[in-house]
Amino acid sequence: MSEIKIVNESRRRFLQAGAGLTLAIYLPTSHAAPVAAATGKIAPAAAASFEPNAFVRIGEDNTVTVIAKHLEMGQGTYTGLATLVAEELDAAWSQIKVEGAPADAKRYNNLLWGQTQGTGGSTAMANSYEQMRRAGATARYMLIAAAAEAWSVPAKEITIKNGSVSHAASKHQASFGELAAKAAAQPVPEPEDIKLKDAKDFVYIGKQAPRQDSKPKINGSAQYTSDVTLPGMLIAVVARAPRFGASVKSFDASKAKAIPGVVDVVAIPHGVAVLAKDFWAAKKGRDALMITWDESKAFNLSSSELLDRYKNLARSPGTLAHQSGDAEKAMGRATKRLEAAFELPYLAHAAMEPLNCVVKLSGKQCEIWNGEQSQTNDQNNVAKFLGIQPEDVKINMLYAGGSFGRRSNPGSDYVLEAVQIAKAINGRAPVKMLWTREDDMRAGQYRPLFYHTLRAGLDAQGNLVAWQHRLVGQSILAATGFKGAIDFTSVEGAANLPYAIPNMLVDLHTPKYPVPVQWWRSVGSSHTAFSTEVFFDEVAHAAGKDAVALRRALLQKQPRHLAVLELAAQKSDWAKPLAAKPGVRRGRGIALHKSFNSVVAQVAEVSVKPDGSFKVDRVVCVVDCGVAINPSIIKAQMEGGIGFGLSAALSGAITFKEGYVEQSNFSDYPVLRMSEMPHVEVHIAPSTANPSGVGEPGVPPIAPAVANALFAATGKRLRQLPFQTKDLV
Amino acid sequence: MIALTVNGKKVQVDVAPDTPILWVLRDHLGLTGTKYSCGIAQCGSCTVHLDGEPIRACVTPISVAQGKKISTIEGLNTKVGRAVQSAWEKLEVVQCGYCQSGQIMSAVALLAKNKKPSDADIDSAMHGNLCRCATYQRIRAAIHEAAKHLA
Ligand code: FES
Ligand code: FES
């Protein structure tokens, strides 16, 4: 039955669009009969396999609206997706507008995630590269057909440049807007008739296409979830359990209800919500609640105890994640052996916009306003809770004030919480749930705590012949229902080390604790890059080899890594000694890591004062992310990734004391400030490969690059994050 | 009732006097360009100008603003303000954008007093403004750019 629904849907949408005098382009993704935009009719034979995707709308006012299926949370998706459409459409950049897509996995699924709509894993450009260009090319084809009909000239003589359609011989010229109505009546071309541009003809890809979201974000008009206002809306602030696994035993709301502006107090599954006319009253009400918690089943360990348990686990073999050669035997025969352990704490995402969500319930319908990262998953979880159909959960995707993975929660934690509040008041008012910074910091979903041990063996010539890596840490995928032996997100970057080492063994322990963990910008690579690249530096040092030279020697079969390494060495003047500065010890360190299909090398330069405090002066970063769609945004993502990774390396840690999270706000979970930001220089390695990620791959190399630089400056190895400057004295 | 001037307009608000300016702007006056992020004067997202001085609106009660002038990102229409905004756009500073209203308000306050800030001046004036997307390098460049433009 779903096909019929799709047909009706596209027809309905077309009629709507027609009324607004717009041309809606529907694209077949598979090799199937296209739908004619003019009639909404589908060739009957192929209807079953047809899936329409709507990405482009051209209005008679000459506006080209690109419907973005991915969340704009800072990484430039709106600009990137629009660039792809504009490129093949040959639109003028000034006529492009971007609109967030509704939740509808049938049309807006992430092509790398099957039938799931969502943004993450640095996949936005990778999965859309061809799809969005085809969307633009299809619109272009129909505009040309419309012009050919209007001017009675052959279509192949018509050209489009910078938003202008023209026919040189007859001197005809028209804008997209002028042709929109006629174009809407043209048949949609067959996919095989669509020819995409040759890279040499690109006018936007790889060039300058200014960010679509700059203006609204510099004049305060950009709409984030926190900015949504609906008639009669109430603001909700929630009191949650102080320890994971605790629950409400009883509560007294009398004091909270006495606060002017407080409208209601309701129990929800994980706490108590106070609803008020404004945030301030809701927060005062929340703080006035008297709640007795049942903490009998609560998590009550301290970080030091957890770490001791992890260390204990690391003494015995874990589940095999990678094996090549015979690492044990090779280690036995090695003439020199090295061993080291690495500790990495829990980390909070701490996006600048604390979590929030707006919900309106009416009958069997639920409407959500959210910086929405995970449409399909959230629709399913909300529908299940409300007992309605997923398609009756309508989601409006707004800008997100950062996410770094947090807004995509497998259990839809914060979205569901807002829905539960709206349900608890029987949907009698729309609800805007706002988390305070403290709520956001203490609610878990952290980058998991990890403990790594590494061993290496060198032969008499100093060749690296054996490598053993053991990891201990909670599984992120467990929260998605994953039951396999190896959560690949725990070992990514470690189990697929690029270096040619003849004997390798990587194994994993996956302890279970009630601390909720989640993907955090660069996921497994956020810890594996640190231990592997620091330890590799130790190996180079022990072998008496230069860190770049040893990498070069072991990357001969990895051309992308090698090219990035060479460019980084060249741009950072690796071969020349670092200029000395009075009163400080200086050092330079390199790290190289591939994640989300992009290879990034970073060379960090540090200056260390006698008291151990230090400054990262400069970072040279080289990235190979395939075709560089927007160089300015790629550079921004490298700068941002470096700042984000450095922030964690310098001061990021969520710790527990008897089950209580010890941090609460930026006062005790400090994040990078202006004066700590190094000078970052980004170089993009030329490539013709399909675009890969840029949002995350800039993060992993910075911590090891800095640790290696600190070693070069001081001779001290830091294997624990965040760095302890006392160790550098 | 508390009477104040917001972006050149006289307004009266009926709120508890301890309500921070931030929530009066956001929840009562519909001026949502000013953002909440920490609530304890640690991040600068909520920076507005009170009689021309940058303040953290999340910890400043509305009673303090009685009879005073508040300007927010929505009302930024000075020569310095425009120069800062266009430098921000030209150098593509924004990422998620959530911190940027506050960054811009702090940068405008800096440039209003110091026409040619050094890197150290920028570090100290912008120290209280966090950006989790780490747009700092471009913020610094954009402040220099705006200064150049204003010179
Ligand atoms: S919200 Fe006011 S300083 Fe952070
Ligand atoms: S641009 Fe995202 S927090 Fe600054």
Side-chain angles (χ1 to χ4, degrees), chain B residues 22 35-46 56-58:
Chain B
L22 174 64
K35 302 297 192 225
Y36 163 80
S37 183
C38 74
I40 58 166
Q42 285 286 317
C43 79
S45 299
C46 63
R56 306 300 184 222
C58 67

Side-chain angles (χ1 to χ4, degrees), chain A residues 400-462:
Chain A
S403 167
F404 315 117
R406 181 62 181 92
R407 282 188 173 265
S408 169
N409 179 268
S412 305
D413 67 337
Y414 72 99
V415 173
L416 210 47
E417 195 179 80
V419 172
Q420 288 160 349
I421 299 167
K423 177 94 188 292
I425 60 163
N426 295 315
R428 71 169 194 274
V431 171
K432 174 155 79 179
M433 178 194 70
L434 296 174
W435 287 25
T436 64
R437 171 59 52 199
E438 291 79 6
D439 297 338
D440 193 276
M441 193 73 75
R442 291 185 157 157
Q445 314 301 346
Y446 303 127
R447 194 289 300 274
L449 168 77
F450 260 87
Y451 182 73
H452 295 211
T453 56
L454 284 111
R455 296 168 69 210
L458 305 176
D459 67 12
Q461 290 75 44

